[in-house]
Amino acid sequence: MSGRFVRSSKYRHVFGRPTRKEQCYDNLRISRNAWDTNLANPRYISVNWEASGGGAFAVIPINEKGRLPEQLPLFRGHTAVVLDTDWSPFNDSLIASGSDDGKAFIYKVPEDFTLRTEEGETPQDVAPVTKLSGHSRKIGHVLFNPAAENVLATSSGDYTIKVWDIEAGSPRLTLKHTDIVQSLSWSANGSLMVTTSRDKKLRIWDVRQEKPAHVVPGHAGAKASRATWMGEHDRVATTGFSKMSDRQLGLWDIRDPKEPLGGFQMLDAISGVCMPFWDDGTQCLYLAGKGDGNIRYFEYEHDKFEFLSEYKSADPQRGIAFLPKRGVNTHENEVTRAFKTVNDSYIEPVSFIVPRRAEVFQDDIFPPVVGLKPAMSAAEWFEGKEGLPPKIDLASIYAGEEPTEVSTEYKPARAPSPKAPSPTKKAPEPQPAPEPSPALRGPPPSMKEQTASIKDLASKFTDDKDDAESDDDSSSFEEVAKPIDRSEKHIPTAPQVKSEPAAMSRGLGDALSPVKDKPGDFAKATQVAASQDTKMQIRTQQPPASKTTVEPISSPTSSADPPSKSSKSTMESVSGSSAKTTVGPVSTVPTSKSTEQPIQSSLAEIKSLLEQQNKTMSAQSQEISKLTAEVDRLRTKLGE
């Protein structure tokens, strides 16, 4: 798991929940000639109907689920197939339609509209309230302005987009293209529009100026591309195809749309057209392809799309639409809801839910959303006014109350992007200041100071001469008397040798203190022990037990002989000196086992002291080598 990180997101665990067939909208005859369409609002769903004798579409109340009647009241009036419908964002009963006959109609859903009629009663069709005529070819898209009331845009096969004032019933603006328009989308304040066309161009329009602000190359593929404005951001998302027919996703900055931010993101190699849908509340983009069974969704963050997850289904969709944010079920933490057509016979709702355990309103995933009140009228919009429609708090809808309006001002959200160079006021020229030096560092120490500091460190591991001398005087082994000969033969008494008085006497069996004794004491103690072991002097304090005494044996070796040779020199000295000083033969002097045991124990203790001294000396050698290496490193660093 090293090197892997999980991005923090509130929507990382969003999942799509399908609907059982009993809760779907079944027994439908959906048209196969439809273009992309926005067919849902919080109260109704519009369905382009497969009808004879002219074009028609059906309106289904969102609460009437299950299998629908064979005969339904249809919205008729067109003389050709209906290609697109769109609901007014400020009136859930107002719907516009575009047809192959080149006309756009406005319908109003009757009050208490229902599909289920009493037995024997014939369903009544609904007629349009307004007819908009002006295009010479079929109308493929109709789209209401998201900020101004009763402003409608229609795109046609005559390579134009007309902006209509529905109240006046006439087109006020015309946006001319060089090829058929494949998709269009308004900005949040309704002043700009983005379009894609068959000439592979992406255009950003200043609508009221009737001219494009930017015309840039879009997706290079020959198949259709789609575009959607990302709410209040200055960004546009597009889907299309590459030259190799790979599906792509692009993110564009409308202020500098020369190329997509970060380049095109390849999705897959499926041939179906990918339709983008933007959710401004969650800042998520949903992608659904025609003929696909899956719906992918991405989160927009730091000027790029982060893939969240994917809803998979075995049933492909021909068309799809998303419910406006004010229509979601906040009690189930539903952030959005999609309606997909399946087999051209029924519509399946797919709810996208954020899993939460708390059974309270989740204000972090349900920010204020646009309500039913427009920002301006159609006349004000055509005069040049701009603004965002007021928003409502979803917490009031969660509590079952009337929607509460949130006070807002026109402050479109800006996506983080590199700032353009702008003229700034000239500040007074700062006076030249000396270059700053490191705050906590003084001048480097001299060589003398470094040498002195190193000596101080090294002195911790060395022995003082005075201490060594005092220890030499005070540290000495206790003299051991030679065992007395208790045999009948006796040896003449030898002159006694007085031992030097010691301030502190220590026996061979005494342990060496690791605190009071210094490393120098071990070497001196070893030397004294070796010399005294070879001499085997007789204590002067004790009188001889018998008449015979043995004179002290002088050792031919000095106390400076190495400790490792002490045992060998001891044996040689004993044999040599005994031949010179004893009266009788040495072999006649018997030794008992009781007298040999103290000598062996003393030698064992001396051996352990020597081993301990060797360990201490090796540790000191290592420390000295470290200090020597440190001195060499400092000299090299200072360039000596």
Side-chain angles (χ1 to χ4, degrees):
M1 295 296 292
S2 62
R4 295 182 61 186
F5 300 93
V6 177
R7 189 180 62 89
S8 175
S9 173
K10 296 177 290 186
Y11 309 105
R12 189 161 56 93
H13 300 291
V14 172
F15 66 94
R17 185 182 65 186
T19 306
R20 293 179 299 175
K21 185 68 177 291
E22 295 79 10
Q23 298 297 321
C24 296
Y25 306 92
D26 199 3
N27 196 25
L28 303 178
R29 294 191 292 274
I30 303 173
S31 174
R32 299 181 181 180
N33 297 321
W35 290 17
D36 298 341
T37 178
N38 181 13
L39 47 81
N41 72 8
R43 294 179 60 187
Y44 304 105
I45 300 174
S46 66
V47 181
N48 298 332
W49 205 256
E50 187 72 28
S52 59
F57 65 93
V59 173
I60 304 171
I62 203 167
N63 295 324
E64 296 187 11
K65 301 177 182 179
R67 187 174 180 83
L68 301 180
E70 293 293 335
Q71 292 185 350
L72 302 178
L74 300 177
F75 287 65
R76 297 182 179 272
H78 289 286
T79 58
V81 176
V82 175
L83 300 178
D84 192 19
T85 58
D86 187 37
W87 292 97
S88 170
F90 309 112
N91 187 350
D92 289 340
S93 299
L94 196 67
I95 186 172
S97 64
S99 173
D100 204 355
D101 58 8
K103 297 178 182 179
F105 290 170
I106 307 297
Y107 296 86
K108 188 171 183 180
V109 181
E111 294 292 335
D112 301 328
F113 179 76
T114 180
L115 299 178
R116 307 183 187 278
T117 59
E118 297 180 358
E119 294 183 2
E121 185 177 354
T122 304
Q124 297 294 326
D125 293 338
V126 180
V129 296
T130 304
K131 297 181 179 180
L132 306 177
S133 300
H135 287 290
S136 59
R137 302 287 296 273
K138 61 182 178 181
I139 295 177
H141 296 93
V142 290
L143 189 62
F144 277 97
N145 190 296
E149 188 176 21
N150 295 329
V151 176
L152 180 70
T154 59
S155 69
S156 173
D158 58 5
Y159 307 160
T160 63
I161 294 177
K162 292 186 180 296
V163 181
W164 304 77
D165 183 355
I166 295 177
E167 297 174 355
S170 60
R172 299 284 298 272
L173 303 171
T174 302
L175 310 180
K176 297 182 180 180
H177 292 69
T178 59
D179 210 330
I180 190 169
V181 177
Q182 295 175 336
S183 69
L184 67 158
S185 180
W186 290 97
S187 63
N189 62 353
S191 61
L192 302 175
M193 179 184 290
V194 58
T195 62
T196 60
S197 59
R198 201 164 56 185
D199 59 2
K200 305 177 185 178
K201 299 291 185 181
L202 179 71
R203 293 177 173 86
I204 298 174
W205 295 82
D206 186 348
V207 180
R208 284 168 290 201
Q209 298 295 325
E210 298 185 80
K211 60 181 181 180
H214 299 283
V215 180
V216 295
H219 296 271
K223 297 182 180 179
S225 61
R226 300 288 184 265
T228 182
W229 203 287
M230 295 170 55
E232 299 178 14
H233 294 289
D234 292 334
R235 299 289 185 270
V236 171
T238 62
T239 57
F241 293 84
S242 66
K243 291 183 178 180
M244 303 300 294
S245 296
D246 295 326
R247 290 201 293 194
Q248 295 176 329
L249 172 64
L251 175 64
W252 306 78
D253 184 356
I254 65 168
R255 293 167 292 184
D256 187 19
K258 294 181 180 179
E259 57 183 11
L261 298 176
F264 290 112
Q265 179 179 349
M266 192 184 75
L267 299 175
D268 48 42
I270 303 176
S271 60
V273 176
C274 194
M275 298 173 286
F277 298 90
W278 172 254
D279 182 10
D280 200 35
T282 60
Q283 303 291 299
C284 292
L285 181 72
Y286 295 82
L287 301 182
K290 289 185 176 181
D292 296 352
N294 59 343
I295 301 173
R296 280 172 281 200
Y297 36 101
F298 302 78
E299 184 177 6
Y300 173 67
E301 189 177 27
H302 304 306
D303 257 353
K304 68 178 191 177
F305 292 113
E306 299 286 351
F307 178 74
L308 290 175
S309 186
E310 180 180 13
Y311 167 76
K312 296 182 179 181
S313 173
D315 301 321
Q317 64 256 4
R318 179 183 292 272
I320 193 168
F322 279 77
L323 188 69
K325 193 72 173 182
R326 54 189 172 87
V328 298
N329 187 349
T330 55
H331 291 272
E332 296 183 357
N333 296 331
E334 181 187 48
V335 291
T336 191
R337 188 187 309 167
F339 296 89
K340 56 179 288 187
T341 61
V342 181
N343 299 329
D344 294 334
S345 61
Y346 69 95
I347 295 176
E348 177 189 4
V350 179
S351 298
F352 291 90
I353 298 173
V354 177
R356 295 284 176 91
R357 291 184 178 180
E359 296 181 356
V360 294
F361 178 72
Q362 307 292 318
D363 55 354
D364 60 328
I365 60 175
F366 294 113
V369 298
V370 176
L372 293 173
K373 185 178 179 180
M376 66 203 81
S377 63
E380 291 174 337
W381 185 84
F382 282 108
E383 289 174 0
K385 184 178 179 179
E386 292 185 7
L388 291 173
K391 297 183 178 181
I392 60 174
D393 189 5
L394 290 178
S396 58
I397 299 178
Y398 179 89
E401 303 171 357
E402 290 294 325
T404 303
E405 187 174 311
V406 180
S407 59
T408 57
E409 297 178 358
Y410 175 45
K411 293 180 180 180
R414 298 280 182 177
S417 60
K419 296 182 179 179
S422 58
T424 56
K425 295 182 180 180
K426 292 184 178 180
E429 296 182 358
Q431 296 180 355
E435 296 182 358
S437 59
L440 299 177
R441 296 185 61 183
S446 62
M447 284 297 300
K448 292 182 178 180
E449 294 176 353
Q450 291 183 357
T451 306
S453 62
I454 293 172
K455 287 181 178 179
D456 293 339
L457 293 174
S459 64
K460 296 180 181 180
F461 303 96
T462 57
D463 299 329
D464 297 335
K465 295 182 178 179
D466 298 337
D467 295 341
E469 292 176 359
S470 62
D471 293 339
D472 189 14
D473 296 337
S474 60
S475 300
S476 62
F477 288 95
E478 192 174 1
E479 296 179 355
V480 181
K482 185 177 181 180
I484 300 171
D485 187 8
R486 299 184 184 276
S487 61
E488 294 179 355
K489 298 179 181 180
H490 93 242
I491 303 173
T493 304
Q496 298 177 355
V497 179
K498 295 182 180 180
S499 61
E500 296 180 357
M504 293 180 63
S505 62
R506 176 163 37 204
L508 290 174
D510 296 340
L512 198 63
S513 172
V515 178
K516 296 181 180 179
D517 296 322
K518 296 185 179 180
D521 297 343
F522 292 97
K524 296 175 182 179
T526 305
Q527 297 172 2
V528 173
S531 62
Q532 290 181 355
D533 185 30
T534 56
K535 293 179 181 180
M536 303 297 291
Q537 296 176 354
I538 303 174
R539 296 187 182 183
T540 59
Q541 291 83 359
Q542 298 180 358
S546 62
K547 296 180 180 181
T548 59
T549 56
V550 181
E551 65 178 358
I553 302 172
S554 61
S555 174
T557 59
S558 63
S559 61
D561 290 342
S564 60
K565 301 179 180 179
S566 60
S567 58
K568 183 177 180 181
S569 62
T570 300
M571 298 301 295
E572 293 176 354
S573 61
V574 169
S575 59
S577 61
S578 59
K580 295 178 182 179
T581 58
T582 54
V583 178
V586 178
S587 58
T588 60
V589 181
T591 58
S592 61
K593 294 182 179 180
S594 60
T595 57
E596 292 178 358
Q597 290 179 355
I599 297 175
Q600 293 178 357
S601 62
S602 299
L603 291 175
E605 290 176 359
I606 292 173
K607 184 177 181 180
S608 63
L609 290 174
L610 291 175
E611 291 176 354
Q612 186 175 0
Q613 174 64 15
N614 290 335
K615 292 181 181 179
T616 305
M617 294 176 64
S618 63
Q620 291 180 355
S621 300
Q622 292 179 0
E623 293 293 335
I624 293 173
S625 63
K626 290 182 181 179
L627 291 173
T628 305
E630 182 67 17
V631 171
D632 296 337
R633 187 183 65 80
L634 291 174
R635 288 180 177 176
T636 305
K637 186 175 181 181
L638 293 174
E640 286 191 351

